[in-house]
């Protein structure tokens, strides 16, 4: 059972892009992990008008909910925050892959460069933890 109620999860998923971005930062730092979708071929990378994006979520429940339609069959992949910051973000920056932060079920998300997201996460760690 999740430490968050179904109502809370539903409300979070319905917030706007900016609110979900802030929530992603808080939950990622609190739980020390982020979630992507993957299969035996690797992680899901989306092409959006020629821009390569890696969608990520703050909790497994959101990644699981996104594994429908064209993403059906993909499984949630937990990435430790340490690996995310030390390996994934620098690698994505080198490969020019941006981050689609906490997409909603329509695919709407805040898109940010990996290097910028790393800065936001460092700042979030200095703030009070999310409830």
């Amino acid at each position: 059972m999740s430490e968050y109620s179904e109502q809370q999860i539903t409300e979070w998923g319905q917030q706007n892009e900016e609110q979900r971005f802030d929530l992603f930062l808080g939950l990622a730092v609190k739980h020390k992990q982020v979630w992507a979708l993957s299969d035996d071929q690797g992680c899901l990378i989306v092409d959006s008008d020629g821009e390569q994006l890696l969608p990520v979520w703050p909790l497994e429940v959101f990644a699981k909910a996104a594994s429908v339609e064209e993403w059906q069959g993909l499984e949630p992949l937990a990435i430790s925050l340490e690996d995310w910051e030390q390996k994934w973000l620098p690698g994505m920056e080198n490969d020019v892959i941006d981050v689609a932060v906490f997409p909603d079920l329509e695919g709407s998300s805040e898109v940010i460069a990996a290097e910028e997201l790393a800065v936001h996460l460092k700042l979030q760690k200095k703030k009070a933890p999310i409830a």
Side-chain angles (χ1 to χ4, degrees):
M1 179 69 190
S2 170
E3 68 182 278
Y4 305 108
S5 70
E6 275 188 48
Q7 179 181 352
Q8 193 171 28
I9 296 288
T10 300
E11 287 172 5
W12 284 346
Q14 294 171 346
Q15 290 182 336
N16 68 36
E17 291 174 8
E18 187 177 322
Q19 291 168 321
R20 288 195 320 276
F21 180 81
D22 290 341
L23 185 62
F24 171 85
L25 294 173
L27 289 171
V29 168
K30 177 180 180 180
H31 295 287
K32 296 181 175 44
Q33 66 183 4
V34 302
W35 292 85
L37 288 175
S38 71
D39 62 14
D40 56 2
Q41 304 295 312
C43 272
L44 170 69
I45 302 288
V46 178
D47 186 312
S48 176
D49 298 321
E51 187 176 21
Q52 300 295 299
L53 306 174
L54 173 70
V56 291
W57 294 266
L59 298 173
E60 181 181 21
V61 66
F62 295 115
K64 251 186 203 168
S67 184
V68 294
E69 296 176 9
E70 75 263 22
W71 297 351
Q72 190 169 3
L74 296 173
E75 295 292 323
L77 172 71
I79 305 164
S80 75
L81 193 58
E82 183 178 346
D83 279 353
W84 179 247
E85 290 178 302
Q86 292 179 8
K87 298 175 186 169
W88 286 71
L89 291 175
M92 291 168 60
E93 189 67 31
N94 288 338
D95 295 340
V96 194
I97 299 172
D98 289 337
V99 186
V101 177
F102 198 170
D104 64 13
L105 292 177
E106 284 78 49
S108 173
S109 68
E110 193 81 26
V111 174
I112 188 168
E115 186 177 40
E116 254 186 275
L117 183 55
V119 170
H120 282 279
L121 285 166
K122 284 181 183 142
L123 292 173
Q124 181 66 39
K125 288 178 179 180
K126 294 178 182 178
K127 292 181 180 180
I130 194 166

